[in-house]
Amino acid sequence: MQKSWILISENSDFPLANIPYGIITTEDNSFPRLATIIGDTVIDLSQLNAMGAFEDIEGIDDFAFDSHSLNDFIAQGKGITQAVRRRIQQLFGKDHAELRDNTAVHSDIFYKASDVQLHLPIEIGDYTDFYSSRQHATNVGIMFRDPANALLPNWLHIPVGYHGRASSIVVSGTDILRPSGQRMPPGAEKPVFGASQLLDFELEMAFIIGKENRLGQPVTTAEAEDYIFGLALFNDWSARDIQAWEYVPLGPFLGKNFASSLSPWIVTLEALNEFRLAGPVQEPAVLPYLEYSGNGHYDIALEVAIQPENGEKKVVCQSNFKNMYWNMVQQLAHHTVNGCNMRIGDLCASGTISGDTPESFGSMLELTWRGANPIAMPDGSQRKFINDGDTVIMRGFAQKGDLRIGFGEVTGKIVNAMTAL
């Protein structure tokens, strides 16, 4: 693994092999612009481009580095975005002296991670949430339907999904207002209105569309990776009591559209090549358009912690992205098989990622089994769902030997809506 002349701490999420992309502003420059991160050092790619670092990349758009989102940069295509990544790795490789020894420019391009403001990295036109973890779907089916027939008849045949609300996707660190809506209390004869009492997280990964298909043009599983720019951590907050009352017959609405949280660094698909692995055997056999070849799943360790206000955090979930039944290329192929056109920056989320063991369940709904088994917190309190003042922290990384590619974290603090006013 290539080393960098930038100091990188052991077990950093952001070695030279990673080079994720994000959008920053700083105290000395309030204009949003592209950046990457190596170790704990954020690198201003707008300034680096202005110095001529990428001028030898044919066809590159200089204006894409000075933008409020990654969309224009991504739209240039993987030929250019991968060339930029390789050039960054070259410039900051341990034996490359061009920038290392030119200390006069370091203050123009380098920032401490703690000194930058990270923004929502993409302009999201459309958002689709899938439901692709077999264990999660099984757990929900056991809880709410017949345990002997936990999976609905279509689940093993199609990557089930729904269209969510893009406007309420926020960057990590944004406070989340506890949502209100209708809910039907147990034993009641009519619904009541009020704040959700069963607020939950959902541990997910999201992939970002990096190439457009025409309306009417399906994307095959063989082509799908060309259309996926990269991945990020995703918390699809869920108000279980609101959702339970509204979701029949048309599915999630107010129980889901109030907020979802996205991590600020987008890790490219290419950075994750070493962590591919085979997926589960799919029985019954899928229809031909969902068949794929090669290793379509990824070994990415995931964890969720809850931190009460002014309290000690506790890890409540440890799962893995490999626990998916349907993978990303199948999801995208299914999404477009009817001719649906995808656009640059569209976001597709995996759905809750649950494993086979109780500690790997990716939501409080499952971890506490609808509140029947509360989680004990370090301060002596218990959690059935998420309380006001709680911060949910999700982290993820892939590791093989000394090579570690991480995603940083996605966080969100629950704030009482009336208090916030």
Side-chain angles (χ1 to χ4, degrees):
M1 184 175 63
Q2 187 182 12
K3 303 295 184 180
S4 175
W5 52 263
I6 294 177
L7 180 64
I8 302 174
S9 61
E10 187 177 1
N11 291 328
S12 170
D13 279 351
F14 305 115
L16 192 61
N18 193 340
I19 312 299
Y21 295 107
I23 298 294
I24 65 166
T25 55
T26 53
E27 187 175 342
D28 63 345
N29 186 346
S30 62
F31 289 96
R33 56 209 190 272
L34 268 67
T36 190
I37 184 171
I38 298 176
D40 291 321
T41 300
V42 173
I43 300 166
D44 186 331
L45 296 183
S46 174
Q47 285 294 321
L48 201 59
N49 180 63
M51 293 168 53
F54 309 117
E55 60 186 3
D56 60 336
I57 299 176
E58 186 176 353
I60 197 166
D61 179 5
D62 291 331
F63 293 104
F65 291 95
D66 299 289
S67 178
H68 68 283
S69 77
L70 294 172
N71 290 42
D72 289 342
F73 178 69
I74 294 171
Q76 296 177 100
K78 288 195 175 186
I80 287 179
T81 60
Q82 290 181 29
V84 170
R85 179 170 172 265
R86 289 192 297 268
R87 179 60 172 155
I88 293 169
Q89 290 172 324
Q90 177 189 28
L91 288 171
F92 298 104
K94 69 180 181 66
D95 296 324
H96 199 279
E98 181 180 343
L99 275 178
R100 182 193 65 199
D101 298 340
N102 188 6
T103 56
V105 303
H106 285 190
S107 61
D108 294 328
I109 59 174
F110 293 151
Y111 293 92
K112 294 180 181 178
S114 57
D115 291 340
V116 304
Q117 178 68 45
L118 292 164
H119 299 270
L120 193 68
I122 50 175
E123 185 175 346
I124 305 167
D126 281 298
Y127 154 50
T128 301
D129 190 29
F130 285 95
Y131 188 55
S132 293
S133 163
R134 181 171 186 168
Q135 188 59 59
H136 173 67
T138 300
N139 288 340
V140 172
I142 290 171
M143 276 186 265
F144 292 98
R145 291 190 301 275
D146 176 12
N149 298 284
L151 293 178
L152 290 172
N154 65 350
W155 200 92
L156 293 172
H157 295 274
I158 60 173
V160 175
Y162 75 96
H163 293 284
R165 183 72 182 178
S167 65
S168 55
I169 298 176
V170 296
V171 72
S172 172
T174 304
D175 287 349
I176 306 300
L177 298 182
R178 181 175 293 273
S180 293
Q182 287 192 31
R183 47 192 173 83
M184 178 68 84
E189 295 182 357
K190 61 182 180 179
V192 299
F193 178 84
S196 170
Q197 303 300 297
L198 307 180
L199 188 56
D200 202 354
F201 65 77
E202 290 189 344
L203 172 62
E204 306 194 22
M205 296 289 295
F207 66 86
I208 312 304
I209 297 299
K211 181 179 177 181
E212 299 188 348
N213 61 307
R214 297 186 310 275
L215 183 66
Q217 174 198 0
V219 176
T220 68
T221 56
E223 298 167 330
E225 288 187 7
D226 290 336
Y227 288 79
I228 299 173
F229 174 73
L231 286 80
L233 298 171
F234 195 71
N235 182 355
D236 191 26
W237 300 95
S238 182
R240 299 297 184 188
D241 42 1
I242 297 173
Q243 182 180 358
W245 172 236
E246 72 180 1
Y247 84 104
V248 178
L250 291 182
F253 189 31
L254 300 187
K256 303 287 287 185
N257 71 359
F258 61 95
S260 301
S261 299
L262 182 71
S263 56
W265 296 110
I266 308 299
V267 175
T268 64
L269 205 58
E270 292 70 38
L272 297 166
N273 276 333
E274 291 295 320
F275 307 102
R276 292 173 171 271
L277 75 170
V281 175
Q282 294 183 322
E283 294 287 350
V286 300
L287 291 175
Y289 80 93
L290 289 170
E291 294 175 352
Y292 68 95
S293 61
N295 293 331
H297 287 62
Y298 291 82
D299 184 2
I300 301 173
L302 302 166
E303 74 169 32
V304 184
I306 298 174
Q307 184 167 17
E309 194 161 25
N310 302 318
E312 182 182 348
K313 70 180 180 181
K314 177 173 182 173
V315 174
V316 298
C317 165
Q318 291 182 309
S319 189
N320 195 297
F321 190 39
K322 68 183 179 182
N323 292 327
M324 304 302 295
Y325 187 82
W326 299 102
N327 62 36
M328 292 183 289
V329 301
Q330 291 178 307
Q331 290 169 339
L332 186 54
H334 182 67
H335 200 317
T336 62
V337 72
N338 65 344
C340 175
N341 56 314
M342 309 298 289
R343 295 178 294 183
I344 302 295
D346 284 355
L347 184 148
C348 295
S350 61
T352 305
I353 304 168
S354 294
D356 293 328
T357 58
E359 64 272 13
S360 67
F361 294 166
S363 67
M364 294 295 282
L365 178 69
E366 298 164 90
L367 289 166
T368 69
W369 210 254
R370 298 180 72 181
N373 305 309
I375 295 172
M377 299 297 290
D379 62 4
S381 64
Q382 293 184 327
R383 292 294 183 278
K384 296 181 179 181
F385 288 90
I386 305 301
N387 289 358
D388 289 346
D390 286 349
T391 298
V392 175
I393 306 163
M394 296 180 176
R395 297 191 58 85
F397 66 91
Q399 187 153 6
K400 181 181 290 185
D402 293 335
L403 177 62
R404 175 184 170 115
I405 302 294
F407 292 80
E409 62 182 30
V410 57
T411 70
K413 179 180 179 180
I414 299 302
V415 177
N416 183 286
M418 295 304 295
T419 303
L421 293 175

